[in-house]
């Protein structure tokens, strides 16, 4: 976990869902807040920093995708790592949300273990970035796990657009495809995640940290991503 308490914002119009997430994550060192709709969520992320957001897609007043579109039009707001909560019949919407800067998605009904694993990976990712930045501020060497190493060893601010590393980054720096995808978003990397599996190679193309295209074994879009996520990755690299 991070040295400071990570802040998680749940944007969902169903109070029961918020309680479900809060109880499921109660053992994590998280500060968990709730926004009852998209407008409230947008105001909250514009007023303070959150490390992670769980964002429901289907909400009245302002949907999850509408919130992401609004953030895209507001350069003064930095979108936190965002996991969208969706259902199987919203595949096109899920892909649009990923192209607008969401890091990952979870399908309803939410599997508690999947939720816990994703939060654990993301808070670990935040810890790596905090550690590397502390070392930089103290004049030390950049940490091996620093996400900036994904971008030619650069140590720029989060708002910078990174080019992919000339040497592909091996899976040893990730615990899963979800974490690799989050790092692409978090560091706004331009490049392609190449995921090798036993049945083929998947490619996830990113532009400024936003997922543009997914291809795997003749499939594309969210279908390709779903298939990839079901298979163990033999290696994950980044190509220009």
């Amino acid at each position: 976990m991070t040295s400071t308490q990570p802040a998680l914002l749940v944007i969902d119009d169903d109070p029961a869902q918020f309680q479900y997430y809060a109880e499921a994550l109660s053992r994590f060192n998280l500060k968990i807040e709730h926004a009852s709709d998209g407008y409230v969520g947008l105001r909250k992320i514009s007023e303070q920093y959150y490390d992670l957001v769980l964002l429901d897609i289907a909400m009245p007043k302002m949907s999850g995708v509408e919130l992401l579109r609004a953030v895209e039009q507001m350069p003064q707001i930095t979108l936190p790592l965002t996991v969208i909560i969706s259902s199987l019949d919203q595949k096109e919407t899920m892909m649009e949300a990923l192209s607008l800067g969401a890091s990952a998605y979870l399908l309803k009904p939410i599997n508690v273990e999947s939720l816990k694993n994703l939060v654990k990976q993301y808070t670990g990712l935040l810890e790596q970035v905090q550690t590397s930045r502390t070392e930089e501020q103290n004049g030390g060497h950049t940490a091996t796990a620093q996400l900036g190493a994904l971008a030619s060893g650069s140590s720029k601010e989060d708002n910078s657009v990174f080019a992919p590393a000339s040497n592909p980054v091996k899976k040893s720096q990730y615990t899963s495809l979800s974490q690799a995808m989050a790092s692409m978003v978090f560091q706004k990397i331009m490049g392609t995640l190449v995921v090798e599996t036993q049945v083929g190679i998947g490619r996830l193309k990113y532009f400024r940290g936003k997922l543009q295209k997914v291809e795997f074994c003749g499939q594309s879009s969210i279908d390709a991503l779903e298939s990839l996520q079901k298979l163990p990755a033999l290696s994950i690299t980044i190509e220009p």
Side-chain angles (χ1 to χ4, degrees):
M1 291 294 179
T2 55
S3 56
T4 57
Q5 189 179 34
L8 167 65
L9 177 64
V10 177
I11 306 177
D12 196 309
D13 62 302
D14 185 352
Q17 280 297 112
F18 168 68
Q19 290 300 325
Y20 177 76
Y21 300 141
E23 290 175 10
L25 301 172
S26 60
R27 294 188 179 182
F28 287 79
N29 180 33
L30 296 171
K31 178 184 177 183
I32 304 178
E33 297 185 12
H34 181 219
S36 57
D37 60 53
Y39 285 111
V40 176
L42 182 61
R43 188 185 74 243
K44 280 181 172 287
I45 64 176
S46 68
E47 291 176 348
Q48 64 185 89
Y49 176 80
Y50 292 93
D51 298 283
L52 179 62
V53 169
L54 298 182
L55 175 62
D56 190 28
I57 286 293
M59 292 185 292
K61 298 183 181 179
M62 174 182 278
S63 71
V65 168
E66 289 172 335
L67 183 150
L68 293 172
R69 288 180 190 146
V71 171
E72 190 174 45
Q73 299 301 316
M74 303 170 72
Q76 71 273 23
I77 299 178
T78 298
L79 183 69
L81 284 176
T82 300
V83 178
I84 55 173
I85 309 298
S86 184
S87 57
L88 271 174
D89 62 353
Q90 297 173 310
K91 288 188 175 182
E92 290 186 5
T93 305
M94 284 190 284
M95 194 63 201
E96 182 180 3
L98 292 169
S99 72
L100 287 168
S103 312
Y105 66 89
L106 288 172
L107 293 175
K108 295 180 179 178
I110 301 301
N111 179 282
V112 171
E113 290 306 312
S114 296
L115 175 62
K116 289 180 178 179
N117 287 337
L118 198 60
V119 170
K120 183 177 180 180
Q121 291 165 17
Y122 278 20
T123 51
L125 185 70
L126 294 165
E127 183 178 40
Q128 291 176 9
V129 173
Q130 282 193 353
T131 299
S132 63
R133 285 176 179 168
T134 299
E135 291 188 359
E136 286 177 1
Q137 291 170 0
N138 293 335
H141 296 291
T142 302
T144 303
Q146 182 187 2
L147 295 183
L150 299 179
S152 303
S154 178
S155 302
K156 299 178 181 178
E157 295 298 320
D158 289 347
N159 291 334
S160 300
V161 176
F162 291 104
S166 57
N167 296 320
V169 179
K170 298 302 180 182
K171 195 196 173 198
S172 59
Q173 292 192 332
Y174 304 109
T175 59
S176 71
L177 175 57
S178 293
Q179 193 179 55
M181 292 172 64
S183 70
M184 297 293 283
V185 173
F186 198 58
Q187 292 291 313
K188 296 182 173 58
I189 296 173
M190 297 172 62
T192 300
L193 275 180
V194 181
V195 185
E196 181 184 356
T197 73
Q198 291 181 336
V199 299
I201 294 177
R203 288 181 167 81
L204 289 72
K205 184 177 181 180
Y206 283 82
F207 179 72
R208 297 185 179 182
K210 296 179 180 180
L211 184 59
Q212 304 296 303
K213 188 176 183 180
V214 187
E215 295 179 324
F216 178 61
C217 292
Q219 295 178 308
S220 60
S221 192
I222 206 72
D223 292 323
L225 185 53
E226 283 184 342
S227 296
L228 270 174
Q229 289 179 326
K230 293 175 182 177
L231 297 168
L234 302 178
S235 69
I236 302 177
T237 60
I238 298 176
E239 292 182 351

